[in-house]
Amino acid sequence: MRVKVLSRNPDDYVRETKLDLQRVPRNYDPVLHPFEVPREYTRALNATKLERVFAKPFLSSLDGHRDGVNCMAKHPKSLSTVLSGACDGEVKIWNLTKRQCVRTLQAHEGFVRGMCARFCGTSFFTVGDDKTVKQWKMETPGYGEEEEPIHTILGKTVYTGIDHHWKEAVFATCGHQVDIWDEQRTSPMCSLTWGFDSISSVKFNPIETYLLGSCASDRNIVLYDMRQSTPLKKVILKMRTNTLCWNPMEAFIFTAANEDYNLYTFDMRYLASPVMVHMDHVSAVLDVDYSPTGKEFVSASFDKSIRIFPVDKGHSREVYHTKRMQHVITVKWTSDNKYILCGSDEMNIRLWKANASEKLGVLVPREKAAMNYNQKLKEKFQYHPQIKRIARHRHLPKSIFTQVKEQRIMREARRRKEQNRRKHSKPGAVPVVSEKKKHIVAVVK
């Protein structure tokens, strides 16, 4: 006679200690769970609401400067070190873990126009209104040592920006023209110019390290190749570009911050139209910086706010502002992808979370699993009207709120006018120009 016996492994259902959670066997057959989607929708709605409840992005304010913060630089090797330069020529080095200034030096007379750290992190460079380029040691000088630069280069004109090569002992400055310097020499290796105007910023490409991009005040964005010592091509926009930033993951992509309140993401192989136009600011965009993942970037604006944009979206996912924050001049995204630093007119550097509702500190595995589950639910139901409305809602300062409203009315009026003109003209007389093409004047090769 054959007897069937149920055989179970006690490890599957017996707890090892009283503190362990009971294991619940689950059958994932969708037929047995007819109300799964409504239940998941409710969970997604609750997760979205809780995300807004816990959205407290502001962490701290680093104060100590006696004038507006004009530029910042990240340390390439240390996450907790950041450098800032002010309008009174003072440079400060900050420790972000202690949230305090560890060193102050009087670098220039007048504004500190630009600063960058060397790729190895042993020294950093500053340029200022006194027509000098100075190289400083990163460590604090020892007891009895003078606070003096390692090298000082005296130029003929004011330098407005500086950036260091990502792999070699070479740096670039801009002002009347773009100069490429060797660290060991006091005269530039080569000078690059195209047209005659002041150049506001210059940036090395982090991947194709021999490529440079620069923005000039005659509305040009010019791309250079360091190997040929020649400009490659330039794109002329309707208004001036203040600065640009290269995507650290895609060699050909860069984003430009413009005076016309927009940011433009370009593919350098095809400059005839931008890949994406990012529109949300209500005043000139002064600075932009990419996250290390290359999927998002943060922009600083004259409208006293900073915004976080996904690279492939035209509108921002987040806007940060405080009552006291004035015109934001410079912004940086930290190398661990967790924090954002912004420097503004009223002498403060502010530290923000990149993800407003993220919990700081060590997460228990269960917390991590719940967080990932909620994230997936929010992604699944992100286009449902109720969830979309809650996720998008932000409180804005009254000045920004009224300007957004005003601009929306003006945009609608322009669109109506164009439609009416097209309606009462010969077919094809008033062509349809896409938003991407509207802002480009010409591409010169």
Side-chain angles (χ1 to χ4, degrees):
M1 189 173 78
R2 188 178 293 170
V3 178
K4 283 188 178 177
V5 180
L6 283 174
S7 171
R8 287 202 185 107
N9 183 1
D11 292 347
D12 291 343
Y13 57 91
V14 176
R15 292 189 294 174
E16 284 184 17
T17 68
K18 276 194 285 186
L19 298 172
D20 279 1
L21 294 165
Q22 281 282 14
R23 222 174 244 185
V24 182
R26 278 200 63 190
N27 190 337
Y28 289 99
D29 182 5
V31 181
L32 300 175
H33 299 280
F35 297 115
E36 192 170 24
V37 173
R39 206 177 291 133
E40 280 188 348
Y41 175 75
T42 310
R43 283 174 189 165
L45 191 63
N46 289 339
T48 310
K49 285 177 182 175
L50 285 172
E51 184 187 45
R52 297 314 317 140
V53 167
F54 292 125
K56 291 180 172 57
F58 181 70
L59 291 173
S60 75
S61 168
L62 310 173
D63 52 341
H65 277 294
R66 292 170 298 182
D67 208 335
V69 182
N70 199 45
C71 55
M72 286 197 295
K74 292 184 282 194
H75 193 292
K77 303 286 183 189
S78 165
L79 285 174
S80 61
T81 308
V82 72
L83 305 100
S84 64
C87 298
D88 58 355
E90 197 175 62
V91 168
K92 281 183 180 286
I93 300 175
W94 303 88
N95 185 326
L96 293 181
T97 44
K98 293 177 184 172
R99 297 182 190 178
Q100 62 187 34
C101 176
V102 291
R103 184 173 162 212
T104 305
L105 47 110
Q106 188 63 39
H108 296 275
E109 292 167 21
F111 283 39
V112 179
R113 288 289 173 191
M115 60 196 310
C116 65
R118 201 171 184 273
F119 62 91
C120 60
T122 53
S123 62
F124 64 94
F125 295 82
T126 60
V127 292
D129 277 356
D130 51 5
K131 302 182 184 178
T132 57
V133 181
K134 293 182 181 179
Q135 184 181 2
W136 307 82
K137 274 187 184 172
M138 196 65 83
E139 307 93 56
T140 313
Y143 181 73
E145 280 184 46
E146 288 283 319
E147 184 75 89
E148 284 184 344
I150 308 168
H151 297 301
T152 303
I153 299 167
L154 193 60
K156 294 185 179 74
T157 56
V158 173
Y159 297 111
T160 52
I162 185 167
D163 197 33
H164 202 282
H165 195 282
W166 290 75
K167 287 175 184 169
E168 293 169 24
V170 171
F171 63 92
T173 59
C174 63
H176 181 60
Q177 60 195 16
V178 173
D179 293 323
I180 311 288
W181 305 76
D182 191 306
E183 284 181 16
Q184 308 303 321
R185 292 169 62 181
T186 54
S187 58
M189 294 195 295
C190 68
S191 296
L192 308 164
T193 181
W194 192 350
F196 298 94
D197 220 311
S198 58
I199 295 159
S200 57
S201 93
V202 63
K203 291 283 168 73
F204 273 101
N205 191 319
I207 304 167
E208 303 292 347
T209 50
Y210 47 82
L211 288 175
L212 296 105
S214 75
C215 311
S217 55
D218 57 356
R219 305 171 306 166
N220 290 347
I221 299 172
V222 190
L223 303 175
Y224 307 96
D225 191 331
M226 205 172 74
R227 298 168 301 179
Q228 297 175 351
S229 304
T230 55
L232 292 173
K233 48 186 167 181
K234 69 175 172 181
V235 57
I236 306 167
L237 277 74
K238 287 260 179 84
M239 287 182 82
R240 194 181 81 205
T241 302
N242 287 315
T243 184
L244 61 86
C245 186
W246 294 93
N247 190 321
M249 288 293 163
E250 295 179 84
F252 303 105
I253 306 292
F254 66 90
T255 297
N258 205 280
E259 284 281 323
D260 65 358
Y261 315 170
N262 298 341
L263 293 115
Y264 301 99
T265 299
F266 283 97
D267 186 326
M268 66 170 280
R269 296 165 295 184
Y270 180 71
L271 292 173
S273 78
V275 178
M276 186 60 69
V277 180
H278 309 275
M279 315 165 72
D280 257 345
H281 282 294
V282 291
S283 195
V285 189
L286 300 178
D287 200 10
V288 59
D289 193 37
Y290 264 93
S291 73
T293 57
K295 291 187 176 174
E296 291 181 322
F297 61 83
V298 61
S299 62
S301 172
F302 201 74
D303 64 12
K304 306 177 188 177
S305 71
I306 61 172
R307 287 181 183 264
I308 301 171
F309 290 87
V311 175
D312 54 350
K313 298 276 195 307
H315 293 284
S316 60
R317 73 159 173 88
E318 201 64 79
V319 54
Y320 293 160
H321 54 86
T322 67
K323 276 185 180 176
R324 295 185 181 185
M325 189 153 80
Q326 293 302 307
H327 312 303
V328 192
I329 296 169
T330 176
V331 71
K332 283 279 178 277
W333 198 309
T334 57
S335 303
D336 61 349
N337 199 29
K338 278 191 181 293
Y339 307 103
I340 287 165
L341 289 147
C342 71
S344 48
D345 256 358
E346 84 310 331
M347 306 176 279
N348 272 351
I349 296 167
R350 287 181 174 81
L351 183 65
W352 308 83
K353 285 194 267 189
N355 184 2
S357 57
E358 185 182 21
K359 186 184 172 187
L360 297 179
V362 180
L363 291 179
V364 182
R366 280 184 71 204
E367 276 183 311
K368 211 175 277 182
M371 197 177 71
N372 292 338
Y373 176 60
N374 285 341
Q375 189 58 40
K376 283 294 168 198
L377 284 180
K378 282 183 282 191
E379 280 173 27
K380 183 177 177 180
F381 294 98
Q382 64 184 330
Y383 298 112
H384 283 242
Q386 193 79 349
I387 288 175
K388 190 177 178 182
R389 184 184 65 80
I390 295 166
R392 278 181 57 199
H393 180 75
R394 296 289 180 280
H395 284 292
L396 291 171
K398 195 176 179 185
S399 58
I400 296 178
F401 185 76
T402 49
Q403 279 175 288
V404 166
K405 218 180 207 174
E406 203 176 293
Q407 281 187 7
R408 195 182 300 129
I409 294 164
M410 285 159 67
R411 242 193 330 267
E412 279 298 310
R414 277 199 295 270
R415 195 175 61 82
R416 267 200 313 276
K417 187 175 182 180
E418 199 178 309
Q419 280 180 343
N420 290 340
R421 196 176 283 158
R422 196 173 291 119
K423 207 183 284 177
H424 302 296
S425 303
K426 280 182 183 176
V430 182
V432 179
V433 183
S434 71
E435 187 64 47
K436 290 178 180 178
K437 299 262 185 186
K438 269 180 197 170
H439 310 277
I440 307 295
V441 176
V443 177
V444 186
K445 291 184 182 179

